[in-house]
Amino acid sequence: MKKIILKQNIIFLLLILSLGFNLYTYQKVKEDNVSAIKAKEYMNKAKLYKDQANSARSDAEDYSDQANGARSNAEEYMYETEHYMIQASNYSSYAEDYMYQSENYMNRGCKLL
């Protein structure tokens, strides 16, 4: 009878240890699942941030291209303006020459009278 009770106690002890190990394993698996879910959330956020960074980089490249185009246009307008200023200066010189010539003709005309 003592052997049966001893066997029962050993079996009961093994069952308790097995139950404890199963609960411990269940808790660890549950923690691992939570960790996996959190890791997946962080991965999705990282993916989102990467996409946003790529979009911002693309926008920056577009703005850079637009700025380069505007700079090229500004340079072209600057050269055109310089050309027009030179033409205006030439026309001003021509006008002065014609004015002096007119003055000379008037002076000659006055001397003849």
Side-chain angles (χ1 to χ4, degrees), residues 7-20:
K7 283 183 182 181
Q8 285 178 344
N9 285 341
I10 291 174
I11 290 173
F12 181 72
L13 183 62
L14 288 174
L15 285 174
I16 294 293
L17 287 174
S18 176
L19 181 62

Side-chain angles (χ1 to χ4, degrees), residues 61-100:
E61 288 173 354
D62 290 345
Y63 295 144
S64 176
D65 292 342
Q66 289 175 5
N68 285 335
R71 183 181 51 82
S72 295
N73 287 342
E75 286 178 359
E76 185 179 329
Y77 294 145
M78 182 185 70
Y79 292 132
E80 287 179 9
T81 302
E82 186 178 7
H83 176 72
Y84 292 138
M85 286 176 60
I86 290 170
Q87 281 184 336
S89 176
N90 290 339
Y91 292 142
S92 176
S93 295
Y94 296 153
E96 284 180 22
D97 288 345
Y98 291 135
M99 186 178 72
Y100 289 132

Side-chain angles (χ1 to χ4, degrees), residues 26-78:
Y26 172 76
Q27 187 64 29
K28 287 296 176 184
V29 168
K30 188 175 167 185
E31 289 173 5
D32 288 346
N33 286 341
V34 169
S35 296
I37 289 170
K38 286 289 185 188
K40 199 171 197 176
E41 287 176 9
Y42 291 143
M43 184 183 67
N44 288 337
K45 283 183 181 179
K47 221 180 223 183
L48 176 67
Y49 294 148
K50 183 186 117 201
D51 292 342
Q52 289 174 344
N54 285 338
S55 176
R57 182 182 48 125
S58 176
D59 289 347
E61 288 173 354
D62 290 345
Y63 295 144
S64 176
D65 292 342
Q66 289 175 5
N68 285 335
R71 183 181 51 82
S72 295
N73 287 342
E75 286 178 359
E76 185 179 329
Y77 294 145
M78 182 185 70

